[in-house]
Amino acid sequence: MPDQIVDPSELRGDCAQCFGLCCVALPFARSTDFALNKPAGTPCPNLGGDHRCGIHAGLREKGFTGCTVYDCFGAGQKVSRVTFAGQDWRTASKEHARLMFEVFPVVRQLQELLRYLTEALGLPAARPVHADLRRALERTERLTRQTPEELAALDVAAYRQEVNVHLLRTSDLVRAGAGGKGKGKDRRGADLVGARLRGADLRGASLRGAYLIAADLTGADLRGADMIGADLRDTDLTGADLTGAFFLTQPQLDAARGSAGTRLPESVTRPGHWTAAG
């Protein structure tokens, strides 16, 4: 059996196959990320009857930056087309719609785990735990295909903790070979908001869940760093080297600032709003 049993394309949002679930199921809080308050289960006023965003091309300019850095990891199309077999919440019963909105964030978390597990199975240094990772991947994929009622009853937080054991072991194995002063440095959950880390050697560091909001990482060396859950909102990655950084997702990168000189792992793409120079 091949290590990767999930098509990577299934781990990215496909709005054309979704009923605009993120625009309805999730709540918005008026802030620098969203221009208005919106409770969960209420459609965003910008959502059209075709399930498309009416201001998609100008989200940043109109105060909806939060929407531009969000990815459901493929949960939207899976819930719309698989879990609910293409039945639209607009034309279904209120109970059907309520359940759909309840299930969506659960599947989103499972899809995110699939994203991490798929990446972990592609890391040669994690080969000692590949069997455990593969089993976790297969089980997670099965869970995403449960009935709506089973998904709504799933304790997804507890399940994430189970899978995290394997992801932590993966992190230890990969970071052990990264070298540099950051090797083995554990900055999990660290408060690094606005930190001045220009040119810092963070090779092999664990930045899991670290708060790097508006931190200056210009020219920093992040090769082989564990980036899972790191908050990179407005983080300056200009000229930074993230080659080999792992568990870094596109939404994290989209929330940061960078440049043409920022070196990235192959698992992500350079955001369009980054500067061309630097």
Side-chain angles (χ1 to χ4, degrees):
M1 178 181 292
D3 280 344
Q4 296 185 5
I5 63 171
V6 180
D7 185 340
S9 66
E10 296 179 6
L11 302 177
R12 296 188 295 270
D14 183 354
C15 297
Q17 297 300 317
C18 176
F19 295 134
L21 293 181
C22 64
C23 306
V24 186
L26 306 180
F28 297 167
R30 188 181 180 91
S31 62
T32 56
D33 292 324
F34 297 102
L36 49 79
N37 291 313
K38 185 192 80 65
T42 300
C44 173
N46 298 310
L47 183 67
D50 59 353
H51 302 297
R52 299 293 179 269
C53 176
I55 60 169
H56 188 268
L59 283 168
R60 287 181 179 274
E61 294 76 13
K62 294 183 181 296
F64 288 87
T65 302
C67 297
T68 69
V69 300
Y70 179 81
D71 188 356
C72 70
F73 298 103
Q77 63 260 31
K78 181 167 282 188
V79 172
S80 297
R81 304 299 173 181
V82 178
T83 313
F84 287 88
Q87 188 172 8
D88 189 346
W89 57 268
R90 289 185 186 271
T91 56
S93 67
K94 289 184 178 180
E95 177 58 26
H96 171 101
R98 182 199 62 76
L99 187 57
M100 196 175 207
F101 302 151
E102 183 178 352
V103 163
F104 171 67
V106 173
V107 176
R108 197 267 185 187
Q109 291 194 60
L110 293 173
Q111 290 288 117
E112 184 179 8
L113 288 177
L114 287 176
R115 161 69 172 76
Y116 295 140
L117 289 165
T118 299
E119 180 177 353
L121 279 166
L123 298 172
R127 189 163 298 280
V129 292
H130 273 191
D132 291 331
L133 291 167
R134 189 179 304 109
R135 283 191 289 270
L137 181 71
E138 292 169 351
R139 183 185 176 194
T140 305
E141 170 62 14
R142 288 196 299 272
L143 287 175
T144 68
R145 297 181 182 277
Q146 291 188 119
T147 66
E149 293 75 17
E150 290 171 328
L151 284 164
L154 177 67
D155 187 343
V156 72
Y159 183 67
R160 285 186 72 109
Q161 289 301 314
E162 289 182 36
V163 175
N164 194 46
V165 172
H166 307 306
L167 298 179
L168 281 169
R169 181 60 180 144
T170 297
S171 179
D172 290 341
L173 290 167
V174 176
R175 292 187 300 109
K181 295 179 181 179
K183 179 181 177 181
K185 184 175 290 185
D186 191 350
R187 304 306 299 272
R188 284 184 290 179
D191 183 354
L192 298 171
V193 176
R196 298 178 180 178
L197 296 168
R198 179 183 290 260
D201 185 352
L202 294 169
R203 283 176 289 172
S206 175
L207 294 169
R208 290 176 148 249
Y211 296 94
L212 288 158
I213 303 168
D216 183 3
L217 285 168
T218 302
D221 193 341
L222 292 154
R223 287 177 290 173
D226 183 348
M227 304 298 293
I228 197 168
D231 193 335
L232 300 181
R233 284 178 293 171
D234 205 32
T235 304
D236 193 347
L237 296 173
T238 300
D241 189 350
L242 288 95
T243 306
F246 57 102
F247 298 151
L248 175 68
T249 65
Q250 195 63 47
Q252 286 174 291
L253 208 60
D254 289 342
R257 292 180 289 130
S259 65
T262 304
R263 300 181 65 185
L264 301 173
E266 294 181 357
S267 58
V268 292
T269 59
R270 194 174 311 278
H273 67 277
W274 281 14
T275 62

